[in-house]
Amino acid sequence: MIALSFLILSLFIVGCSSEQPHNEFLTKAEAMVFEKPDSVVRLLAPRWYDTKMDEADLALYGLLYTEALHRSGLYTEADSLIIFSRKYYKERGDQEHLSRALLHHAIILYRQKLTHEAVLTMKQAEYLAEDMELPAFKWYLYSVLGDVNDNVGNYTQTLRYYKQALAEARKSRNEAWMVQTLNNIATTFDLLGQPDSLKHYTDLAQPYAPKTDGEIRATYLVNKASYLLSLGKRQEAKQLLNESMRYTPIDRASKLLADIYMKEGDTEAAAQQWYRLTNSFSPDVSIQSYRLLIQYLNRKGDKDQALEYSQRLNEVYQKLYERSDAAGVIDMQAQYDEQQKERRQYRTTIALLATIILIAIGATIIIRYSRRRIDLLNVRFMESQQKYDMTRSELTQMRHQKEREMKENSQQLKAVIARLHASANKGRVADDEDVNSLAQFSYALSPALQVLLSVLTTKEQTVCLLIRHNFLPTEIATLTISTPQSITNTRVRLLKKLFGQTGGAKDFDAAIKAVN
């Protein structure tokens, strides 16, 4: 019996342990899919035919594997896994994973040239992720939307999405993402013919660019080279472009190099770049390269090759015509954004109506409660009225007392001022007691003045008070053992110090006298 129980327990443990690795490797993959997608591809690829995964694991596997492929720069047109993930997360209302599944399904649809369906799916992913704190995912989402709009020449939306991506990259504190996004913004401004903005965003990337490599580093160097070309610094730009090619050959570098070679008269070197650019993903670059290459071959007398490349150019035109949906993509995004705006307004209206109803109910309750309180309040009001009358009488007495005190202070102040005038007329220095009395009575009459002058030295306060009471600069100089010029300089300096103004001594006099 004991042996049988032990056998059952062992089988149960083995059965549980056989399921555990699925959760472990998927949890590990999800933790690093944004930062280390290459590692996730290597981790998940051997599990493709794992039949032990349940629906939840299979949905997460499909999402993570597709996501890791795309973030690694790899693409697949097989969409069965991501479709299952999308359906699973939609049924369970998991908006975070659904948003990610929608984006990566949209990328596959875009590669399948189902452009309208792809962009609509991306917009759905954007709408779901709008209020989520997922900077690593939202950086990639906005970057993809920026790329899509860049492909159709909708540069206003391109810049908007790239700038949103930049904000998310900064939240993630990922320097490679920041440089990549700054490169994208700079490149867009370069296409728009705005070299100052190109330089601004290239300069923003400069502190982080040395830590990058590959296409990110190459694009940064190309942006720098393009700006140098706008300044006419051809050789410096050429050096940067050749350096960028050592990291990764990119179309813009080849195109700029070809332009430089043409200006230098080296058509052979330019032609080598055109050959490569005929395979560019950008239809504009590809078409221009074909045209220049055909002209070059015709000049060489190589009619057969020129004819062959002319036929290829016609094929590019045909494909471009079949894919010419830029206006539709732009219009569809605008319509989708307008629909979402209307939905938000509708929800806001409903929320306001609900709030109004709640306020009405609350008001009714408050009114009924208030009526019960009115009688009690009336009684308390009569009591309060009596107290008010008493308080008012006391305040009146206090006001009269204060008026008497101010009158006495004013009279005493006049006496002090008279003594100070007499001292000045006799060429004597002001008596300390008179100076203290002047300050005491002046501040009693104007507390605001005391606050204003509290930052000054005693001598500076004395000058201010004497000016306020219409003493002449010569009198002030005599009373404070100064010269009239130094008094004038002090007044100019105090105008700036106390009032933040610039002007003459008379401006200070007017300002200090205006203090209440």
Side-chain angles (χ1 to χ4, degrees):
M1 184 65 181
I2 295 174
L4 180 61
S5 300
F6 179 77
L7 177 61
I8 293 172
L9 179 61
S10 299
L11 290 173
F12 176 76
I13 293 173
V14 170
C16 291
S17 64
S18 66
E19 293 297 321
Q20 188 64 24
H22 297 307
N23 295 331
E24 285 182 357
F25 81 80
L26 288 173
T27 300
K28 180 180 178 182
E30 186 163 27
M32 61 183 184
V33 69
F34 297 139
E35 301 285 348
K36 300 177 181 178
D38 295 338
S39 300
V40 173
V41 172
R42 290 193 295 270
L43 175 65
L44 297 184
R47 309 271 183 168
W48 183 275
Y49 298 105
D50 191 341
T51 58
K52 296 180 181 179
M53 288 189 283
D54 58 19
E55 284 191 348
D57 287 347
L58 186 60
L60 185 56
Y61 175 87
L63 170 60
L64 294 176
Y65 186 68
T66 308
E67 194 167 30
L69 283 175
H70 291 164
R71 282 180 171 263
S72 301
L74 305 172
Y75 297 95
T76 176
E77 293 190 7
D79 56 4
S80 57
L81 278 175
I82 198 65
I83 288 176
F84 178 82
S85 301
R86 175 178 173 176
K87 180 180 178 182
Y88 178 86
Y89 292 124
K90 182 177 181 180
E91 289 175 351
R92 279 151 184 79
D94 186 342
Q95 292 198 352
E96 176 183 334
H97 287 91
L98 175 59
S99 178
R100 290 161 59 186
L102 286 168
L103 173 62
H104 292 285
H105 187 205
I107 293 172
I108 294 176
L109 292 171
Y110 195 77
R111 299 287 295 187
Q112 294 172 343
K113 297 183 176 58
L114 301 173
T115 308
H116 284 253
E117 184 180 352
V119 175
L120 180 60
T121 306
M122 289 180 191
K123 296 294 289 183
Q124 291 171 349
E126 178 192 14
Y127 177 72
L128 286 178
E130 191 172 43
D131 297 324
M132 296 180 187
E133 276 299 323
L134 299 170
F137 167 64
K138 291 171 79 171
W139 166 79
Y140 189 75
L141 167 67
Y142 294 138
S143 297
V144 170
L145 282 163
D147 292 343
V148 169
N149 281 278
D150 181 44
N151 291 340
V152 297
N154 188 11
Y155 295 124
T156 301
Q157 286 288 75
T158 300
L159 289 171
R160 181 173 76 86
Y161 280 122
Y162 282 158
K163 288 178 180 179
Q164 287 180 273
L166 179 60
E168 300 301 330
R170 284 172 171 159
K171 288 181 185 177
S172 301
R173 298 181 180 178
N174 188 302
E175 294 182 354
W177 296 351
M178 284 193 286
V179 176
Q180 182 177 340
T181 309
L182 288 166
N183 285 344
N184 289 340
I185 297 172
T187 301
T188 305
F189 278 117
D190 193 21
L191 292 172
L192 292 171
Q194 299 182 27
D196 290 340
S197 296
L198 163 65
K199 181 181 185 302
H200 173 70
Y201 284 97
T202 303
D203 288 346
L204 289 179
Q206 184 175 359
Y208 315 107
K211 301 176 185 178
T212 61
D213 56 12
E215 186 174 351
I216 297 176
R217 177 68 171 166
T219 305
Y220 168 76
L221 293 171
V222 173
N223 284 334
K224 287 188 68 175
S226 183
Y227 178 71
L228 289 174
L229 284 173
S230 72
L231 300 178
K233 299 180 179 179
R234 187 189 305 166
Q235 291 306 316
E236 295 177 37
K238 184 178 178 181
Q239 183 179 355
L240 286 174
L241 291 171
N242 285 322
E243 183 183 350
S244 76
M245 298 294 275
R246 291 196 293 271
Y247 285 97
T248 296
I250 59 177
D251 289 350
R252 283 178 65 228
S254 295
K255 182 178 182 303
L256 293 175
L257 278 172
D259 293 342
I260 291 174
Y261 290 139
M262 284 298 292
K263 290 180 180 178
E264 294 175 346
D266 189 352
T267 53
E268 289 288 340
Q272 293 302 315
Q273 302 299 328
W274 295 332
Y275 277 115
R276 200 183 75 79
L277 289 172
T278 56
N279 296 315
S280 172
F281 287 110
S282 169
D284 293 337
V285 173
S286 178
I287 290 169
Q288 184 186 19
S289 301
Y290 269 116
R291 287 174 175 171
L292 293 169
L293 190 57
I294 291 167
Q295 292 174 10
Y296 167 73
L297 292 171
N298 282 326
R299 285 196 302 271
K300 283 184 62 178
D302 193 344
K303 302 296 182 183
D304 292 338
Q305 264 205 314
L307 178 60
E308 179 184 345
Y309 278 95
S310 295
Q311 291 173 347
R312 292 185 186 181
L313 176 58
N314 289 334
E315 292 174 4
V316 172
Y317 278 127
Q318 180 63 30
K319 291 179 180 177
L320 183 61
Y321 174 77
E322 292 171 357
R323 294 175 57 189
S324 181
D325 51 2
V329 170
I330 295 171
D331 185 58
M332 184 189 66
Q333 291 184 87
Q335 289 182 5
Y336 187 88
D337 289 336
E338 185 63 28
Q339 289 174 358
Q340 297 309 317
K341 181 180 178 181
E342 291 176 356
R343 288 180 183 177
R344 291 190 193 96
Q345 290 175 344
Y346 175 76
R347 288 198 297 268
T348 301
T349 302
I350 295 299
L352 287 174
L353 288 174
T355 302
I356 291 171
I357 292 171
L358 290 174
I359 291 173
I361 294 172
T364 302
I365 295 172
I366 291 171
I367 290 171
R368 291 182 178 178
Y369 175 76
S370 298
R371 286 178 178 174
R372 296 177 183 176
R373 297 275 298 171
I374 287 175
D375 292 338
L376 178 61
L377 291 174
N378 283 335
V379 173
R380 291 182 178 177
F381 173 76
M382 296 301 297
E383 296 174 352
S384 299
Q385 186 65 38
Q386 294 175 353
K387 293 179 181 179
Y388 168 75
D389 292 338
M390 293 175 63
T391 303
R392 183 177 179 182
S393 177
E394 292 174 357
L395 289 173
T396 300
Q397 293 177 2
M398 291 173 62
R399 179 169 57 82
H400 290 160
Q401 177 65 26
K402 185 175 182 180
E403 289 174 353
R404 286 194 298 271
E405 290 176 356
M406 291 179 67
K407 186 175 180 180
E408 291 174 0
N409 286 338
S410 179
Q411 291 172 348
Q412 291 173 340
L413 179 60
K414 288 178 181 179
V416 171
I417 291 171
R419 288 197 299 272
L420 288 169
H421 274 298
S423 296
N425 291 334
K426 295 176 181 179
R428 292 203 303 265
V429 177
D431 186 72
D432 288 344
E433 184 177 349
D434 287 341
V435 170
N436 292 334
S437 298
L438 176 67
Q440 178 184 350
F441 297 138
S442 296
Y443 293 153
L445 292 171
S446 178
L449 181 64
Q450 183 178 11
V451 174
L452 177 65
L453 302 185
S454 61
V455 298
L456 304 181
T457 64
T458 302
K459 184 175 180 179
E460 289 174 334
Q461 291 187 38
T462 302
V463 171
C464 292
L465 294 174
L466 291 172
I467 289 293
R468 185 175 172 85
H469 293 292
N470 300 313
F471 279 77
L472 297 175
T474 53
E475 293 180 298
I476 300 173
T478 300
L479 293 171
T480 59
I481 318 177
S482 305
T483 64
Q485 183 59 46
S486 67
I487 296 301
T488 299
N489 295 339
T490 300
R491 290 150 66 199
V492 172
R493 179 172 53 79
L494 291 179
L495 178 64
K496 178 66 176 178
K497 183 174 182 179
L498 294 178
F499 303 102
Q501 301 175 13
T502 56
K506 291 185 178 180
D507 296 321
F508 171 74
D509 297 349
I512 197 67
K513 291 175 182 179
V515 178
N516 186 10

